[in-house]
Amino acid sequence: MRTAPTLLALTLDAALLRIATLRDLSRLPDHILFDLFRRTLSAGKLTEKVLKLFLATDCEEIILLVQLLNIKQPLIPAWQPFFSRFDIIVVKDPELAADLQIPSGFNVKVYTKSDIDGLLGATSINFSGHSCRYFGYLVSRKKYVISIDDNCLPAKDPAGMTVDAVTQHMVNLKTPATPFFFNTLYDPYRKGADFVRGYPFSLREGVECMLSCGLWLHNADYDPMTHVVKRNQRNTNYVDAVMTVPLGAMFPVSGINVAFNREVLGPVMFPGLRIRKEGKHRWDTLEDIWNGLCAKVICDSLGYGVKTGLPYVMRSDAEAGKALESLKEWEGVKVMDDVLPFFESLKLSRTAVTVDDCIKELAGIVRQKLAPKNAIFSKAADAMEEWTKLWKSHGAQNA
Amino acid sequence: MRTAPTLLALTLDAALLRIATLRDLSRLPDHILFDLFRRTLSAGKLTEKVLKLFLATDCEEIILLVQLLNIKQPLIPAWQPFFSRFDIIVVKDPELAADLQIPSGFNVKVYTKSDIDGLLGATSINFSGHSCRYFGYLVSRKKYVISIDDNCLPAKDPAGMTVDAVTQHMVNLKTPATPFFFNTLYDPYRKGADFVRGYPFSLREGVECMLSCGLWLHNADYDPMTHVVKRNQRNTNYVDAVMTVPLGAMFPVSGINVAFNREVLGPVMFPGLRIRKEGKHRWDTLEDIWNGLCAKVICDSLGYGVKTGLPYVMRSDAEAGKALESLKEWEGVKVMDDVLPFFESLKLSRTAVTVDDCIKELAGIVRQKLAPKNAIFSKAADAMEEWTKLWKSHGAQNA
């Protein structure tokens, strides 16, 4: 005996027949979308165009499934409205064997292992994995650089508008930062805000902002342990604020979604700290955290500001099983317990008046104070010194 | 020739006839509500019950008009669902001549000038204006105190839910604070959040939170100059976050909406700094800012935490004309330029291990370093020392 098909099933069948001609799925509820997506996949109808249609809905389950099934997706097109006016640098991970698939319609320059080797020759800096992006920082000739991980898509704000991460990062960098006193209404330069009562008038001009650290929705940026324990937790809290991280306060900069003033901060934007067996996953890297702490102490010392908060990106990619695998050999558990007190107690000398001066001094202090504790710090100091040389020879030219 | 009335006017007339029997106006658009409110007022139909009906809509224009016309409104009933389980202390401003109107249905204890004089006798502490609340801190016998200005009503969150400020303050005080490293996802103890990658594991237990500084929507907490310049600007940005103010970072605590652990922090919750001609308006007070800076340096020194962010309250009362009046003689412009560097460079000795030890030491340093610059600091030091005596004799008893 056959059961009569439901009205929903019939509707989905009809939609599947016409899937290649549909132009907008964004009004469907997520569970129906997801069902339609699975049927499309089973029916062999998931062309690049249809995939784009589904991805445009921002349905989290679909994005996850696309990641988990490793379906080739052209990630950049979602960024087209925001990136197409700008120069894009793509640096291919030197250890990645597969070819990159770069969609057309962008002003893209791609760098590969042979470009890195050809330009730099023998270097102690390891550009593999997430660290490949730093080569892009070096060869860019622009004043501002925005760097976003390849598993990120534009986020939507609570009103359903797609976030223009480029514009928000530029606003963050081009309006002053206020590191000397916390403003309880957050960014005082934002429309509708100002400095609250009690904020000293002499500090209201602020200082130049050099680093803007954006955030991410969906897949939070946790270490492997937290990923394993909270494998089903997703970040859904959109906090509508930008704030300056106060002078002297340290914070964990994530490389997922950052922007910076390359002209000023370039000499400190390097991959220094690599833990043994550090892999391809954000969760087992500390290179960006170390980089961020170096940048923050130098900004503090030179009177520059650093902001965190908006813009958000939507971060897919949840590989809980693999986080467990990373965990087995993960060295990162205790590293930060040495690193943070070191940076918190650091005082750079007043005679170091440029970022280049500061990073050279900092490398020396790392070698003296941290290197005896763990060989990774000695290698970090090497990388810091090497980077200042690379920057001088290859990075510091004007546009 | 008479013009035929519009359908809207006829509807409003009909509503006005039945206004005393209506039970919910919350679905009306604000401009119609406001029109109905003005007609009700003109028709002499604004009873206490009807006023409550209008206030329950949270229509900002109505709340402003109620303030501007100085209509007697029982503010506490809006707080009834949140306050009725708790002990309420009302301290009448000793300079206020009019009688207080306290609605029934609350567990309220009212203190007046004669109670203050009777209990304390001659004291150098000035409890007039906004400072009257500190007498309540002294005579309370509870572990936790929440203090909200009398021109505030419960706020609504972006989803339209009325904010339970009491519960949110208690969550802030009873979950740990994390002053030693900034968490980019803000409060790591919040549902759906955690510590981000790079946060040292040894710091994830956090420390006890002693002070929770809530925020306010609508009428922002500006100094008189900003009030005059931005007389039409309202704060509408609901930032859905709680964060610990980092160790060493100073911030302006507003007395509008605060909660604290009275058992621990009581000896530092005093009105110390009064500028000459300081009046009855928040915009020309600095007493809470000074109090907050003292509390913050002491919490930093003793290893306690301080949070800012949620909960919001809705703050009415916009008196731009009067802000201009305050401005003419306002001394507050330059005060903070002496105060902030003082607090930022302050180091309390390691031998000061209680809040009482710390505030005594701090009073001495204020007298030595700041008092020579301005007599108001000398008076602040007097008040700080006087408060430690008052606290010992009248505040420190257990519940």
Side-chain angles (χ1 to χ4, degrees):
Chain A
M1 202 185 95
R2 278 173 55 188
T3 317
T6 63
L7 191 59
L8 177 60
L10 289 172
T11 310
L12 288 173
D13 287 344
L16 183 57
L17 276 174
R18 300 170 52 234
I19 195 76
T21 63
L22 297 181
R23 301 175 71 174
D24 183 13
L25 299 173
S26 61
R27 301 226 173 103
L28 295 182
D30 275 10
H31 68 283
I32 295 178
L33 255 181
F34 190 59
D35 203 352
L36 183 59
F37 182 73
R38 280 190 306 189
R39 285 165 187 248
T40 307
L41 201 60
S42 307
K45 290 190 163 198
L46 193 69
T47 62
E48 189 169 319
K49 185 185 160 208
V50 173
L51 176 61
K52 206 168 149 184
L53 188 71
F54 277 105
L55 289 176
T57 64
D58 283 358
C59 168
E60 289 178 355
E61 287 79 8
I62 291 177
I63 291 163
L64 276 180
L65 192 62
V66 166
Q67 289 282 334
L68 291 171
L69 296 177
N70 204 17
I71 295 169
K72 285 268 180 299
Q73 53 165 323
L75 272 183
I76 298 180
W79 289 107
Q80 192 146 26
F82 311 112
F83 283 0
S84 55
R85 288 182 299 141
F86 304 102
D87 292 319
I88 300 181
I89 290 177
V90 170
V91 185
K92 186 185 173 190
D93 178 357
E95 290 184 11
L96 185 69
D99 283 342
L100 291 184
Q101 300 208 329
I102 312 281
S104 58
F106 290 92
N107 186 9
V108 179
K109 181 125 180 50
V110 179
Y111 295 90
T112 63
K113 185 172 193 306
S114 66
D115 295 309
I116 300 174
D117 293 345
L119 185 69
L120 306 183
T123 170
S124 61
I125 292 192
N126 183 340
F127 287 101
S128 71
H130 281 288
S131 296
C132 66
R133 74 191 58 214
Y134 295 87
F135 183 76
Y137 301 171
L138 196 66
V139 296
S140 165
R141 289 294 169 266
K142 298 296 177 185
K143 179 169 182 181
Y144 297 105
V145 168
I146 296 176
S147 176
I148 295 177
D149 272 10
D150 59 355
N151 64 340
C152 294
L153 290 168
K156 298 216 168 187
D157 69 18
M161 298 291 287
T162 303
V163 173
D164 180 350
V166 176
T167 299
Q168 182 66 52
H169 272 307
M170 289 314 297
V171 167
N172 293 353
L173 289 171
K174 288 189 159 187
T175 54
T178 52
F180 307 119
F181 200 40
F182 187 88
N183 192 47
T184 50
L185 291 185
Y186 312 109
D187 182 2
Y189 295 96
R190 193 169 176 185
K191 195 167 180 295
D194 210 310
F195 292 95
V196 298
R197 176 173 57 89
Y199 210 103
F201 289 92
S202 63
L203 295 179
R204 295 189 185 199
E205 281 187 27
V207 299
E208 199 175 345
C209 179
M210 292 299 167
L211 179 63
S212 163
C213 303
L215 298 175
W216 47 88
L217 292 171
H218 192 67
N219 183 13
D221 185 17
Y222 294 145
D223 55 82
M225 288 196 276
T226 310
H227 260 294
V228 169
V229 174
K230 299 203 162 176
R231 66 190 72 78
N232 295 320
Q233 184 171 296
R234 297 290 175 264
N235 182 31
T236 57
N237 189 24
Y238 187 100
V239 176
D240 192 8
V242 176
M243 65 198 75
T244 297
V245 183
L247 178 73
M250 294 291 116
F251 80 119
V253 171
S254 164
I256 292 170
N257 171 23
V258 294
F260 59 96
N261 183 322
R262 182 188 165 279
E263 271 180 19
V264 174
L265 225 52
V268 65
M269 300 306 289
F270 62 91
L273 191 72
R274 287 184 81 101
I275 47 183
R276 193 179 52 99
K277 300 252 180 192
E278 178 173 306
K280 305 290 181 201
H281 304 296
R282 269 284 169 229
W283 56 57
D284 54 16
T285 66
L286 282 177
E287 125 274 326
D288 51 349
I289 307 291
W290 177 269
N291 172 212
L293 292 169
C294 294
K296 181 63 165 65
V297 291
I298 290 177
C299 284
D300 281 353
S301 186
L302 298 178
Y304 298 133
V306 170
K307 294 181 187 173
T308 186
L310 302 181
Y312 280 88
V313 294
M314 221 285 294
R315 186 170 180 248
S316 60
D317 187 19
E319 302 165 86
K322 292 182 191 166
L324 186 59
E325 233 165 79
S326 296
L327 191 53
K328 286 179 198 155
E329 307 187 80
W330 196 55
E331 279 190 326
V333 177
K334 289 186 178 165
V335 169
M336 288 302 295
D337 290 325
D338 286 329
V339 166
L340 186 61
F342 167 79
F343 278 99
E344 281 180 338
S345 62
L346 195 73
K347 280 271 171 221
L348 296 173
S349 57
R350 289 288 121 202
T351 52
V353 293
T354 66
V355 173
D356 185 63
D357 294 345
C358 289
I359 193 68
K360 283 174 180 160
E361 182 180 355
L362 181 53
I365 307 175
V366 168
R367 197 179 298 289
Q368 183 197 337
K369 296 254 179 85
L370 279 180
K373 294 188 180 185
N374 190 330
I376 62 172
F377 299 126
S378 162
K379 286 186 182 162
D382 293 344
M384 292 159 82
E385 282 162 1
E386 173 78 358
W387 184 263
T388 61
K389 290 175 198 154
L390 293 184
W391 194 264
K392 195 172 174 190
S393 53
H394 302 289
Q397 292 92 338
N398 288 328
Chain B
M1 203 183 95
R2 277 172 55 187
T3 316
T6 63
L7 192 59
L8 176 61
L10 289 172
T11 310
L12 287 173
D13 287 345
L16 184 58
L17 277 176
R18 301 169 53 233
I19 194 74
T21 63
L22 297 181
R23 301 175 70 176
D24 182 13
L25 298 174
S26 60
R27 301 222 174 106
L28 294 183
D30 274 10
H31 68 283
I32 295 178
L33 254 181
F34 190 59
D35 202 353
L36 184 59
F37 182 73
R38 282 191 303 189
R39 285 165 187 248
T40 306
L41 202 60
S42 309
K45 290 190 163 197
L46 193 68
T47 62
E48 188 169 322
K49 187 184 158 206
V50 173
L51 177 60
K52 205 169 149 185
L53 187 71
F54 278 104
L55 290 175
T57 64
D58 282 358
C59 169
E60 290 177 356
E61 288 78 8
I62 291 177
I63 291 164
L64 277 180
L65 192 62
V66 166
Q67 290 280 336
L68 291 170
L69 297 176
N70 206 15
I71 295 169
K72 284 267 182 296
Q73 55 165 322
L75 272 185
I76 298 180
W79 289 107
Q80 191 146 28
F82 311 111
F83 283 0
S84 57
R85 289 181 298 141
F86 305 102
D87 291 320
I88 300 181
I89 291 177
V90 171
V91 185
K92 186 184 172 187
D93 177 357
E95 290 183 11
L96 185 71
D99 283 340
L100 291 184
Q101 301 208 326
I102 312 281
S104 57
F106 290 92
N107 185 9
V108 181
K109 181 124 181 51
V110 180
Y111 294 90
T112 63
K113 185 172 191 307
S114 66
D115 295 308
I116 299 173
D117 293 346
L119 185 70
L120 307 183
T123 169
S124 60
I125 292 192
N126 184 340
F127 287 101
S128 72
H130 281 288
S131 295
C132 66
R133 73 192 58 215
Y134 296 86
F135 183 76
Y137 301 171
L138 197 65
V139 296
S140 165
R141 288 294 169 267
K142 299 296 178 186
K143 179 169 181 179
Y144 298 105
V145 168
I146 296 176
S147 176
I148 295 176
D149 271 11
D150 60 354
N151 65 340
C152 294
L153 290 169
K156 299 218 167 185
D157 68 19
M161 299 289 289
T162 304
V163 173
D164 180 351
V166 176
T167 299
Q168 182 66 51
H169 272 307
M170 289 314 297
V171 168
N172 293 353
L173 290 171
K174 289 190 158 186
T175 53
T178 52
F180 306 118
F181 200 40
F182 187 86
N183 193 47
T184 50
L185 291 184
Y186 311 108
D187 182 1
Y189 294 96
R190 194 169 177 188
K191 195 167 179 294
D194 210 310
F195 292 96
V196 297
R197 176 172 57 91
Y199 209 103
F201 288 92
S202 63
L203 295 179
R204 294 188 185 199
E205 280 186 28
V207 300
E208 201 174 347
C209 179
M210 291 301 168
L211 179 61
S212 163
C213 302
L215 299 175
W216 47 87
L217 291 172
H218 193 68
N219 184 14
D221 185 18
Y222 294 145
D223 55 84
M225 287 196 276
T226 311
H227 261 293
V228 168
V229 174
K230 299 205 162 175
R231 67 191 71 77
N232 296 319
Q233 183 171 296
R234 298 291 176 261
N235 182 32
T236 57
N237 189 24
Y238 186 101
V239 177
D240 191 9
V242 176
M243 65 199 77
T244 297
V245 183
L247 176 74
M250 293 292 115
F251 80 120
V253 171
S254 164
I256 292 170
N257 171 25
V258 293
F260 59 97
N261 181 323
R262 182 188 165 278
E263 271 181 18
V264 174
L265 225 52
V268 66
M269 298 307 288
F270 63 91
L273 190 73
R274 288 185 80 101
I275 48 184
R276 192 179 54 97
K277 300 252 181 192
E278 177 172 306
K280 305 291 182 201
H281 303 296
R282 268 286 168 225
W283 57 56
D284 55 18
T285 65
L286 283 177
E287 125 275 324
D288 50 350
I289 306 291
W290 177 269
N291 172 212
L293 292 170
C294 294
K296 181 63 165 64
V297 292
I298 290 178
C299 282
D300 280 354
S301 186
L302 297 178
Y304 298 133
V306 170
K307 293 181 188 173
T308 186
L310 303 180
Y312 281 89
V313 295
M314 221 286 292
R315 185 167 180 251
S316 62
D317 185 20
E319 302 166 86
K322 291 182 190 166
L324 186 60
E325 232 164 80
S326 296
L327 191 53
K328 288 178 199 155
E329 305 188 83
W330 196 55
E331 278 190 324
V333 177
K334 290 187 177 163
V335 169
M336 288 302 294
D337 290 324
D338 285 330
V339 166
L340 187 61
F342 168 79
F343 279 99
E344 282 180 337
S345 63
L346 195 71
K347 279 271 171 220
L348 295 174
S349 57
R350 289 288 122 202
T351 52
V353 293
T354 67
V355 173
D356 186 62
D357 294 344
C358 289
I359 194 67
K360 284 175 179 159
E361 182 180 355
L362 181 53
I365 307 174
V366 168
R367 195 178 300 288
Q368 183 197 338
K369 296 252 179 84
L370 279 179
K373 295 188 178 185
N374 190 330
I376 62 172
F377 298 126
S378 161
K379 286 186 182 164
D382 293 344
M384 291 159 83
E385 281 162 1
E386 173 78 358
W387 184 262
T388 62
K389 290 176 198 153
L390 294 182
W391 194 264
K392 195 173 175 189
S393 53
H394 301 289
Q397 293 92 336
N398 288 329

